[in-house]
Amino acid sequence: MENTETSMNEKLNMDNLNMMLDSIMNASFVPCFIFDKSSFEILYQNNRAYDLVGNKLGRNCHEVFCTRETPCMDCPMVFLGKMPIVSSRRTDIFEKPVKVQYANIKWFDGRDVVLCKIMGTADDSEQVMDEMAASSQLFMETEKKGMDSLTGIQDYMKFYSSVEQKILDDVHNDYAVVVFDVDRFKSINDLYGMIDGDKALKYIAECMQAVFGYENNYARLHSDRFAFFVKYNSKGDIIKVIEKLRKKIYNNPFDFDINTSYGIYLVNDRSVPVNLMCDRAMMASRTAKGNVMKFCAFYDEQYREDMIKANEIEHDMNKALENGEFKMYLQPKYKLEDYELCGAEVLCRWLHPAKGIISPNDFIPLFERNGFILKLDEYMWEEACKTIRRWLDEGRNPVPLSVNISRYHIGHNDIFKTLTELMNKYQLTPNYLNLEITESLFLDQPEMLNRELVKLQSIGFNLEVDDFGSGFSSLNLIRNISVDTIKIDKEFLDSEIASEKGKIVVNHTIDMAKDLNLQVVAEGVETKEHVDFLKNSHCDIAQGFYFAKPMPIEEFDKFQF
Ligand code: C2E
Ligand code: CA
Ligand code: CA
């Protein structure tokens, strides 16, 4: 209990620090990034930087700016001393060289990081500097009045204080805070230019003025994010206002569409800080995004509960690994020709002491976000190797085990080293371990991945493309990348073999894979109909509930021997 409280407090402190960092960095007119000095990872970007390159958090500097896989030889960050420097840099993403200011600073956790500000193109830097000086003058003047310098409506500071004032003064009425932004605003900037992007933002401000008149209840928070607050009797009141505003914004004079998505926070607890209300409303609006049927969503406590759940999992995960709560389950694979057992996939289960068995879908995505997947996967790989070693020591002739390799490993881990070390430690040859790599991974970083894969293959690992058919360029992929096996995704199987045309697609996919000397595995095989179809199509191997569910090792032992 005490631990949970401490970690909640730590999280709150962290949130405050992050908020402070945000407000300092967003006060700058130029794009700012913070890089880890040793790994070159992007740890932070301000809104300007976001507008410029999109969200690149977690990626490396050289990868984003120079499309390189290794750090630049002449990287100024390496030579940076106590004093800040300004350096002219040529990078792949800007047409002209740019002036960049670098300064050493300390990150929250004490490590050395570098603050980089992109000051403008090198050849027109003086002009850029003048413009910046002029705009920061304007910024300072308007800031004083609490107005947003681009649109002339209230800025976030003024907005926060007016909401606070209103809800404390008028406790007899109910209020809602609504936050919205423009769908794919970055594409508008990219395709039509920043000037048109700015015009769109000004236009939105005008629409808000037209809808709300002299009520000072609306603001631009930052970049393409706007907010307003309204008094309401029923939820319908709020939706009516949103519909009116949304329609007005949609009927714009530009060549492009401006679609907006709204999140609504009902102010039940007036002591919640307004910035948090806005964050919560924004969180809700994300669930409406990309859904044509839905343009607004209410914040509900479920989000908070999900977040708390995720926090709990993060809190428990290290201990769980030490306590051996992550268990290896094995799902058999069979040859369709004679139904002989020919392998098994290693799948993880979390046997939580209080919560029971937790399915990987509830923790793998979170671990892929927080990086813990590196530890968990290595643990599972080791469990697999240990098991094979035991089988060999018992004088058995075991089938190979297939382990999953999460996308997070590429660029974060030396898979080759880890796997070869495991082979040495357990005195195994790579033919006992097959590597399953998801198809979407191949689309992300093809060159880096291919280089790693070729190395692994050259020493005898069998490479399987997992979830084949779930992405877009499957066919191109197996032409360009060296793999041994494709594993047809269960969704692909289900959706395609339901129709005659679909059956032809799967048949040809299998034929083509076989022409390329690839082995074909089908997963998610649930019915006799699946088996018959796959046998007719000359698919080699099947895995699925029709044959067996994933099972603990003790059970699998009985199965195999
Ligand atoms: P996956 O790699 O595609 O694994 C196959 C999933 O399909 C497994 O789900 C398996 O239980 C399920 N399955 C097998 N046969 C059938 C069937 O006939 N019908 C249906 N509906 N499902 C079937 P599971 O074990 O819940 O794992 C889900 C995903 O979590 C896996 O998908 C994999 O991407 C990931 N995962 C599991 N363990 C690990 C791990 O140790 N490391 C990593 N990186 N990912 C893991
Ligand atoms: Ca898999
Ligand atoms: Ca799969």
Side-chain angles (χ1 to χ4, degrees):
M1 183 65 200
E2 213 173 65
N3 266 346
T4 323
E5 224 163 71
T6 329
S7 83
M8 287 298 265
N9 284 340
E10 276 167 12
K11 183 155 181 342
L12 281 178
N13 284 340
M14 224 28 230
D15 285 348
N16 285 342
L17 286 171
N18 273 322
M19 206 160 66
M20 199 165 83
L21 178 68
D22 249 347
S23 43
I24 297 172
M25 300 297 268
N26 286 329
S28 172
F29 259 85
V30 297
C32 300
F33 296 85
I34 295 179
F35 299 105
D36 182 296
K37 205 171 173 178
S38 48
S39 68
F40 302 98
E41 185 189 337
I42 301 179
L43 300 172
Y44 177 86
Q45 30 182 151
N46 72 353
N47 290 328
R48 280 282 172 188
Y50 188 89
D51 293 342
L52 189 69
V53 295
N55 184 356
K56 300 291 180 204
L57 291 181
R59 304 276 300 275
N60 291 330
C61 170
H62 39 272
E63 211 181 282
V64 172
F65 292 96
C66 305
T67 37
R68 289 170 56 98
E69 285 165 19
T70 49
C72 307
M73 297 293 281
D74 58 343
C75 178
M77 283 194 250
V78 177
F79 308 106
L80 187 58
K82 270 192 183 149
M83 295 300 289
I85 54 169
V86 175
S87 165
S88 172
R89 300 288 294 160
R90 182 175 288 282
T91 71
D92 289 354
I93 65 163
F94 302 116
E95 276 173 16
K96 298 176 179 171
V98 285
K99 278 232 150 108
V100 188
Q101 189 192 57
Y102 299 86
N104 272 326
I105 56 172
K106 286 277 181 205
W107 192 235
F108 298 127
D109 55 11
R111 69 186 133 142
D112 289 326
V113 298
V114 178
L115 168 65
C116 281
K117 295 179 170 186
I118 298 180
M119 313 292 285
T121 49
D123 51 359
D124 62 10
S125 61
E126 257 158 46
Q127 188 196 336
V128 171
M129 296 291 190
D130 285 346
E131 278 171 18
M132 272 171 28
S135 58
S136 39
Q137 184 67 29
L138 179 65
F139 181 74
M140 282 188 307
E141 279 167 19
T142 49
E143 183 76 354
K144 266 188 238 142
K145 294 188 226 127
M147 292 303 180
D148 171 46
S149 56
L150 176 73
T151 60
I153 64 175
Q154 283 188 96
D155 68 3
Y156 69 99
M157 294 278 273
K158 188 85 190 304
F159 181 72
Y160 293 168
S161 64
S162 33
V163 177
E164 203 174 82
Q165 195 72 47
K166 192 77 191 174
I167 56 178
L168 293 180
D169 286 353
D170 184 11
V171 287
H172 301 297
N173 281 301
D174 285 327
Y175 282 90
V177 170
V178 181
V179 174
F180 69 93
D181 69 356
V182 179
D183 300 350
R184 289 185 294 279
F185 182 66
K186 191 177 171 303
S187 315
I188 298 182
N189 269 339
D190 287 350
L191 294 172
Y192 299 90
M194 294 283 263
I195 295 179
D196 275 9
D198 281 355
K199 276 188 195 158
L201 298 177
K202 284 186 201 156
Y203 175 77
I204 293 174
E206 282 162 22
C207 294
M208 294 181 93
Q209 257 157 348
V211 170
F212 299 113
Y214 291 103
E215 279 179 75
N216 246 340
N217 62 335
Y218 56 92
R220 175 179 175 234
L221 300 181
H222 61 78
S223 56
D224 64 327
R225 193 171 296 181
F226 295 82
F228 60 91
F229 67 99
V230 280
K231 193 155 62 181
Y232 72 96
N233 289 316
S234 69
K235 286 182 177 175
D237 296 345
I238 311 167
I239 297 191
K240 264 188 216 141
V241 178
I242 291 178
E243 273 175 340
K244 190 167 165 192
L245 177 63
R246 189 168 187 268
K247 208 160 146 194
K248 214 170 187 64
I249 296 174
Y250 187 76
N251 292 328
N252 63 69
F254 306 112
D255 295 336
F256 44 83
D257 281 347
I258 308 182
N259 281 309
T260 38
S261 304
Y262 299 74
I264 307 159
Y265 178 81
L266 304 177
V267 184
N268 297 321
D269 176 357
R270 291 177 199 235
S271 66
V272 172
V274 181
N275 63 325
L276 213 59
M277 297 184 186
C278 291
D279 285 351
R280 290 179 176 179
M282 199 59 217
M283 220 195 261
S285 84
R286 290 204 195 104
T287 64
K289 259 200 202 313
N291 184 342
V292 277
M293 305 298 289
K294 204 172 148 193
F295 54 85
C296 68
F298 286 86
Y299 170 83
D300 89 55
E301 277 301 306
Q302 187 63 42
Y303 298 118
R304 231 170 74 83
E305 281 166 23
D306 287 352
M307 259 166 59
I308 291 174
K309 209 167 124 192
N311 271 340
E312 279 173 9
I313 291 188
E314 288 195 307
H315 181 256
D316 291 350
M317 61 194 187
N318 282 302
K319 271 238 158 56
L321 193 62
E322 285 166 24
N323 296 346
E325 290 171 26
F326 293 106
K327 282 274 182 288
M328 176 176 77
Y329 271 45
L330 294 175
Q331 186 176 32
K333 294 182 180 182
Y334 291 91
K335 274 196 211 148
L336 277 166
E337 196 185 15
D338 51 10
Y339 298 126
E340 193 191 330
L341 180 80
C342 62
E345 176 171 7
V346 171
L347 293 160
C348 179
R349 297 289 179 271
W350 185 348
L351 307 190
H352 195 284
K355 295 178 185 141
I357 299 188
I358 311 181
S359 132
N361 294 326
D362 290 338
F363 56 84
I364 299 277
L366 177 67
F367 291 175
E368 286 181 331
R369 285 198 300 274
N370 67 21
F372 188 68
I373 194 71
L374 297 183
K375 283 195 197 168
L376 179 66
D377 272 356
E378 285 187 17
Y379 178 79
M380 296 310 290
W381 303 344
E382 176 142 18
E383 286 297 289
C385 292
K386 239 187 241 171
T387 305
I388 299 167
R389 183 71 260 160
R390 175 172 65 78
W391 285 335
L392 289 171
D393 289 345
E394 289 168 0
R396 306 179 193 274
N397 183 18
V399 292
L401 297 182
S402 303
V403 294
N404 287 289
I405 302 211
S406 159
R407 54 169 58 227
Y408 193 83
H409 289 277
I410 303 300
H412 287 98
N413 191 6
D414 191 342
I415 310 179
F416 183 81
K417 183 162 164 269
T418 312
L419 288 170
T420 43
E421 278 172 5
L422 279 176
M423 292 295 110
N424 289 336
K425 181 168 173 191
Y426 291 95
Q427 291 291 300
L428 298 176
T429 45
N431 56 310
Y432 285 111
L433 205 63
N434 297 345
L435 311 177
E436 290 193 10
I437 299 148
T438 53
E439 189 201 76
S440 57
L441 186 58
F442 290 86
L443 309 174
D444 278 1
Q445 291 156 308
E447 289 114 42
M448 200 197 282
L449 178 68
N450 208 12
R451 223 176 316 119
E452 293 268 333
L453 296 188
V454 168
K455 262 189 352 191
L456 289 165
Q457 210 178 23
S458 70
I459 60 163
F461 281 107
N462 194 339
L463 304 181
E464 304 187 14
V465 186
D466 202 355
D467 304 334
F468 186 86
S470 62
F472 295 106
S473 46
S474 313
L475 303 182
N476 259 334
L477 184 145
I478 51 175
R479 198 180 42 152
N480 296 331
I481 292 194
S482 50
V483 291
D484 308 282
T485 302
I486 60 165
K487 206 170 171 193
I488 296 180
D489 190 45
K490 59 174 171 290
E491 308 289 341
F492 184 62
L493 197 66
D494 271 348
S495 59
E496 294 297 333
I497 70 169
S499 70
E500 280 313 309
K501 263 195 193 160
K503 285 195 172 100
I504 297 174
V505 173
V506 180
N507 260 324
H508 279 278
T509 307
I510 295 176
D511 280 348
M512 190 196 52
K514 307 215 73 171
D515 283 346
L516 291 166
N517 275 330
L518 299 172
Q519 198 179 37
V520 182
V521 180
E523 68 177 332
V525 178
E526 288 182 347
T527 60
K528 177 87 175 48
E529 190 204 348
H530 283 157
V531 176
D532 291 342
F533 170 78
L534 290 165
K535 269 187 99 151
N536 275 333
S537 316
H538 309 291
C539 172
D540 304 295
I541 293 169
Q543 171 188 347
F545 295 169
Y546 179 79
F547 297 101
K549 288 198 168 171
M551 59 187 85
I553 184 75
E554 303 76 31
E555 227 173 282
F556 186 81
D557 271 351
K558 286 185 212 147
F559 234 77
Q560 189 182 194
F561 308 115

